[in-house]
Amino acid sequence: MILADAAWLWRVMATYLPSDPTVWDPSGVEAAVARHASTVRMVADQPERDHVWRAAALLHTLTVCPPLDSPMNEFYAMATAHAYLALEDVKVSRELLADLVEAAQRGAGVHEVGDRLRAALT
């Protein structure tokens, strides 16, 4: 399983965002890296931390802890999840990722986002 680091998330930003956005809160990127790499499960019936959960954690964290002083935060969250899943040879539609960003903005938790992503991929 591939784990992303902060340098990789910064490269995703440089590659996929059409301009050079102002980074308002770089701790959002650090939080996304740490959260997606976590292996701790506090509830026995939570799913394993597989690549789908990790992509959901990246998307969710970048959505709820936006690092940019820009309206591009949602696009960055989508691009990061898309690029991460591509590392695992998983194709996912941008429409689904946009729906998941909206769900996170409305209060869906990372497990719900991961469950919806997993269901769409099966």
Side-chain angles (χ1 to χ4, degrees), residues 46-70:
Q46 286 179 338
E48 289 291 325
R49 303 299 199 238
D50 63 359
H51 62 283
V52 175
W53 186 90
R54 293 178 194 289
L58 289 168
L59 180 140
H60 188 272
T61 306
L62 291 171
T63 299
V64 300
C65 300
L68 307 176
D69 182 26
S70 162

Side-chain angles (χ1 to χ4, degrees), residues 30-107:
E30 294 171 7
V33 169
R35 190 179 196 193
H36 107 282
S38 175
T39 59
V40 176
R41 291 182 342 171
M42 300 301 287
V43 179
D45 64 343
Q46 286 179 338
E48 289 291 325
R49 303 299 199 238
D50 63 359
H51 62 283
V52 175
W53 186 90
R54 293 178 194 289
L58 289 168
L59 180 140
H60 188 272
T61 306
L62 291 171
T63 299
V64 300
C65 300
L68 307 176
D69 182 26
S70 162
M72 297 300 293
N73 281 300
E74 293 86 357
F75 183 77
Y76 181 43
M78 291 170 48
T80 301
H82 189 271
Y84 181 77
L85 288 169
L87 292 174
E88 298 284 348
D89 292 323
V90 176
K91 295 182 189 217
V92 61
S93 75
R94 288 177 177 85
E95 293 81 8
L96 172 62
L97 294 174
D99 289 345
L100 296 176
V101 164
E102 288 178 7
Q105 288 172 326
R106 288 191 310 269

Side-chain angles (χ1 to χ4, degrees), residues 117-122:
L117 179 56
R118 185 173 282 104
L121 296 176
T122 56

